[in-house]
Amino acid sequence: MNEQDIKLVAKSLPQYEARAKVAKAMAHPSRLLVLDLLGQREMCVQELTQSIGCDQSTVSKHLAVLKEVGLIESRREGTSNFYRLTCGCLDDFFQCLETVVQRDVEKRTSACDGGCSL
């Protein structure tokens, strides 16, 4: 690949900043759990709170972070807010992450020859 090809592939700095913002929003275990749960079906805050095991204000903060970057959206029904994913590509993304994690575990396991903890 020559320099001209690299320029064609490279994104602009604002595009990378936008990607980083989304990645940062996903960089919390509870938020990843929320995304997995919402990948199954639309849920209200109360259901998410019970599933995650955090208090409602913490769950609401996590939801606000995910909503700010456009990963989820909400609708109001009576006194409840219901949340859903805005994109269907997260399942493939999470499968990719699982592959990376599994390869890392395998690499570390073979490097330890069973003699160290992961």
Side-chain angles (χ1 to χ4, degrees):
M1 188 179 277
N2 64 33
E3 190 176 323
Q4 185 177 7
D5 291 333
I6 292 171
K7 287 180 183 177
L8 292 175
V9 173
K11 308 282 187 243
S12 69
L13 182 58
Q15 287 171 307
Y16 285 112
E17 289 169 344
R19 285 182 180 185
K21 188 174 180 180
V22 172
K24 185 176 179 181
M26 295 172 67
H28 191 285
S30 293
R31 287 186 219 134
L32 291 175
L33 176 55
V34 166
L35 293 170
D36 267 346
L37 292 169
L38 294 179
Q40 297 170 26
R41 65 181 177 87
E42 181 182 77
M43 297 178 81
C44 68
V45 175
Q46 293 80 5
E47 291 175 300
L48 289 166
T49 299
Q50 290 174 350
S51 296
I52 295 169
C54 295
D55 60 90
Q56 186 169 336
S57 66
T58 301
V59 172
S60 292
K61 288 175 187 174
H62 286 310
L63 291 167
V65 170
L66 294 170
K67 190 174 178 181
E68 181 182 334
V69 298
L71 288 170
I72 64 172
E73 60 188 10
S74 65
R75 67 176 178 84
R76 189 164 200 72
E77 186 175 300
T79 59
S80 297
N81 284 317
F82 287 84
Y83 291 85
R84 65 183 165 275
L85 288 180
T86 58
C87 58
C89 60
L90 285 180
D91 202 33
D92 290 338
F93 177 72
F94 288 144
Q95 287 177 2
C96 180
L97 287 179
E98 289 301 322
T99 300
V100 171
V101 169
Q102 184 61 39
R103 285 182 185 158
D104 184 56
V105 168
E106 290 169 2
K107 180 180 168 185
R108 291 171 187 263
T109 301
S110 67
C112 289
D113 291 327
C116 58
S117 62
L118 298 177

